[in-house]
Amino acid sequence: MRAVQEQIRLALETTPPGPVKVISVCAGQGRDLLPVLKDHPQRDDVEAHLVELDPRNASAARDAAAALGLRQVDVLTADASLTDHYQGLAPADIVLLCGIFGNITEDHIKRTVSFCPQLCATGGTVIWTRNRRQPDLVPSICAWFEDLGFERQWVSAPDLGYGVGVHRFTGEPQPLAPREQMFDFVGSDKLRNPPPQNA
């Protein structure tokens, strides 16, 4: 979490002056973003949209934003995998994909990455996370981003045990496709312990 927060701070510092649009996919309680905005000099420039399916987490995020006086933080209780929930919000200057890639299949990680040129503005930053358990998919995820015009800014070292990546988009944003599902949330436990196949 601290590594993600530090990368959010750095991303905010590299955005041009003026409004900053942030999208957080599967935002949880907003614990990665909201503490950074609390005392950040650009807090009033940030228009943040947090999408979270669990109503308890979404409610906690709204309460935290209100307690911090972050009036430009909007929390939507909805399925974060559906592109329709980002219509009018994308492209964004910062896109957070944290806590997702460890809970979806490899194919769906690649599919989610493929939507990032639709979510991210030119010069915008995607911050993502993925565990480093074997098979370590972090190198593949980096390659998938870079094949789509993203430049690697920073990736945590393999021996740290966690994976945090930062990629900056150098291309032109693509129109956001309606009615698409970017991923299917499976859960890390099921990915580690798949049910036996029927004979």
Side-chain angles (χ1 to χ4, degrees):
M1 182 70 72
R2 287 193 297 271
V4 171
Q5 290 174 344
E6 179 60 25
Q7 294 305 315
I8 293 173
R9 289 189 184 93
L10 291 173
L12 286 171
E13 291 170 5
T14 59
T15 56
V20 179
K21 188 179 290 187
V22 178
I23 290 175
S24 181
V25 182
C26 292
Q29 298 182 8
R31 293 180 179 176
D32 46 9
L33 176 64
L34 300 181
V36 175
L37 297 181
K38 174 183 176 181
D39 54 5
H40 197 278
Q42 291 173 273
R43 56 172 280 155
D44 294 330
D45 295 330
V46 174
E47 176 188 333
H49 301 276
L50 285 59
V51 185
E52 168 59 38
L53 179 62
D54 188 323
R56 296 164 299 180
N57 284 337
S59 178
R62 287 190 197 94
D63 291 345
L68 295 173
L70 297 169
R71 294 182 295 275
Q72 297 187 102
V73 172
D74 174 61
V75 182
L76 176 64
T77 306
D79 184 346
S81 72
L82 302 178
T83 57
D84 283 358
H85 298 312
Y86 305 95
Q87 295 290 345
L89 309 180
D93 302 292
I94 299 174
V95 176
L96 303 178
L97 299 173
C98 300
I100 301 174
F101 290 169
N103 292 285
I104 62 179
T105 65
E106 180 176 344
D107 286 345
H108 279 216
I109 296 173
K110 188 173 184 180
R111 177 173 170 81
T112 303
V113 171
S114 75
F115 280 93
C116 286
Q118 302 178 31
L119 296 174
C120 197
T122 301
T125 301
V126 177
I127 300 172
W128 53 272
T129 62
R130 161 73 191 200
N131 62 69
R132 301 303 292 253
R133 290 191 296 270
Q134 295 300 320
D136 183 3
L137 291 180
V138 168
S140 295
I141 296 170
C142 288
W144 295 333
F145 271 109
E146 289 151 22
D147 286 345
L148 294 173
F150 287 82
E151 289 184 349
R152 190 182 313 191
Q153 301 297 301
W154 182 80
V155 176
S156 57
D159 59 357
L160 292 178
Y162 61 84
V164 178
V166 182
H167 279 82
R168 181 166 296 157
F169 187 43
T170 63
E172 290 292 327
Q174 301 171 7
L176 183 61
R179 298 179 298 280
E180 292 283 351
Q181 184 173 9
M182 296 184 286
F183 56 85
D184 183 15
F185 198 90
V186 177
S188 58
D189 290 342
K190 291 183 179 179
L191 289 173
R192 287 198 301 271
N193 304 295
Q197 297 291 322
N198 293 329

